[in-house]
Amino acid sequence: MGEIATSSLGSLSSVDMNTPAELRDYLDVGTPVKSRDSPPRPAPPPTKPRSKLPRPIRFLSLPKAATGSDKKAASEPKGQIKKSQDQARLQPLSNPEQALTKTFKLLHSASDDWEKKIEGLTSLRVMAQNHMDILMPKLHDICLAIINEVKNLRSAVSCAAMATLGDMYVHLQRAMDSEVEGTARVLLHKASEANTFIRQGANCALGHMVQSCTPTRVMNALLVGGLSHRNAAVRSCTAQYLERLAEVMGMARLLSGKKDLTDRFLIAVSKLAVDPAQEVRHHGRNILRNVATKMWDKFAQGKSENP
């Protein structure tokens, strides 16, 4: 015992049982032993050798078009609806008279049965493109049914109804003049909603209305439906499409003075130019600026002809 305690580490030729455990391991193995409590380190995973072949080129896919933003619309099979609509547009209906009768039944179905309503609206879009003569005798009733679906609380149905109105403007054109006032009023109201897709659908339909229908009827519908509306967003939308209508008609026609057109137009634009809402004033002042430019050009041209 005393000899082991006083002798140097190099003089120990054998391991004694009284030698501490760490020292016995040291003498047996020849290297210090790590703490017994520490877990063993895992071996690193084998690395695969890099391939010398060039990497394949990956092409990014285009994003799909969205059709709704609320929870109800998110639960609907949007791709399936869009696919059926696209397929229906490709070919005319075999029996449009029977299809129109069925369409009225679909549109008057229960409010929660959105699939039937979209099917009916899709059928109307097909008939507007291929069977306009079938729609004309019942055009007013058809527009009333579509207006009712534009007000639908389910965004997918509302967007489909506004798209149907847009197609009817494009394909029926001036035959829709008698329905412009009623349809424009509901579209202007929808253009003020917070839902982005609802606003886009309303703006698209209003754009088709301005481009396709009789300009004087469109101007009257815009002034009646939105000039004095309490909602600033509706007035702003009215001013925006009145500005676009001025571009379509041309300042020369608006300032011609025919059928009190000029007076109504200038009074409405002057009211929009001093509206409390900044966005409304912006469009109203843009129109007044174009009017002033046209009148100045006309005055300058007259002065040059009569020096």
Side-chain angles (χ1 to χ4, degrees):
M1 219 22 219
E3 292 180 359
I4 296 174
T6 57
S7 60
S8 62
L9 188 61
S11 62
L12 293 175
S13 58
S14 61
V15 181
D16 189 83
M17 294 302 297
N18 295 325
T19 307
E22 291 80 6
L23 184 56
R24 289 202 304 270
D25 293 337
Y26 182 90
L27 295 175
D28 290 339
V29 180
T31 56
V33 178
K34 297 180 181 179
S35 174
R36 297 178 185 269
D37 296 334
S38 59
R41 294 182 179 179
T47 58
K48 296 181 180 180
R50 292 186 177 181
S51 174
K52 296 182 180 181
L53 297 176
R55 294 182 178 180
I57 300 175
R58 296 181 180 179
F59 296 95
L60 297 176
S61 58
L62 295 175
K64 296 180 180 179
T67 58
S69 62
D70 54 16
K71 293 182 180 180
K72 291 182 179 180
S75 64
E76 298 164 1
K78 304 168 193 170
Q80 186 176 2
I81 294 172
K82 187 176 185 302
K83 182 178 179 181
S84 63
Q85 291 175 349
D86 292 340
Q87 289 176 348
R89 283 193 211 102
L90 295 177
Q91 54 187 355
L93 301 172
S94 57
N95 192 342
E97 294 86 356
Q98 184 179 357
L100 183 59
T101 303
K102 180 182 178 182
T103 296
F104 277 110
K105 293 181 180 179
L106 293 173
L107 293 180
H108 288 91
S109 59
S111 58
D112 57 344
D113 200 346
W114 56 269
E115 291 179 328
K116 290 184 178 180
K117 292 182 178 294
I118 291 181
E119 182 183 351
L121 292 168
T122 304
S123 179
L124 286 178
R125 298 183 72 176
V126 177
M127 285 186 277
Q129 295 179 24
N130 304 291
H131 310 286
M132 292 179 287
D133 54 331
I134 302 299
L135 298 179
M136 293 308 301
K138 298 184 178 180
L139 183 61
H140 181 65
D141 294 335
I142 292 170
C143 288
L144 289 178
I146 298 174
I147 289 172
N148 189 44
E149 299 309 327
V150 171
K151 300 176 183 178
N152 196 299
L153 298 180
R154 188 176 288 272
S155 60
V157 178
S158 181
C159 288
M162 289 185 286
T164 304
L165 280 180
D167 279 359
M168 294 183 71
Y169 289 140
V170 170
H171 297 286
L172 274 65
Q173 296 189 359
R174 300 199 173 191
M176 284 288 291
D177 284 351
S178 59
E179 306 299 328
V180 162
E181 185 174 332
T183 54
R185 183 181 291 110
V186 69
L187 290 174
L188 288 171
H189 178 74
K190 283 293 180 179
S192 65
E193 291 200 2
N195 189 316
T196 303
F197 301 106
I198 294 292
R199 289 202 311 271
Q200 290 176 351
N203 286 324
C204 183
L206 286 169
H208 289 315
M209 180 188 71
V210 170
Q211 295 287 340
S212 304
C213 299
T214 302
T216 53
R217 290 291 191 98
V218 173
M219 188 183 75
N220 181 68
L222 292 174
L223 298 182
V224 171
L227 180 62
S228 301
H229 202 279
R230 291 180 296 177
N231 192 330
V234 175
R235 298 197 306 274
S236 176
C237 186
T238 301
Q240 176 185 350
Y241 285 98
L242 197 61
E243 181 181 1
R244 185 177 299 184
L245 180 65
E247 297 174 357
V248 172
M249 294 180 66
M251 283 299 168
R253 182 179 178 184
L254 285 171
L255 301 177
S256 63
K258 294 180 179 180
K259 297 181 181 179
D260 72 347
L261 175 66
T262 302
D263 292 342
R264 292 192 64 199
F265 175 75
L266 291 178
I267 291 173
V269 172
S270 300
K271 185 177 180 179
L272 295 172
V274 294
D275 192 273
Q278 181 179 359
E279 294 182 359
V280 182
R281 294 197 305 270
H282 171 73
H283 294 291
R285 291 173 181 177
N286 281 346
I287 301 174
L288 284 180
R289 189 181 300 111
N290 295 334
V291 170
T293 302
K294 182 64 179 178
M295 294 180 68
W296 174 257
D297 292 341
K298 185 177 180 180
F299 174 77
Q301 183 180 1
K303 290 291 288 184
S304 62
E305 293 176 356
N306 301 309

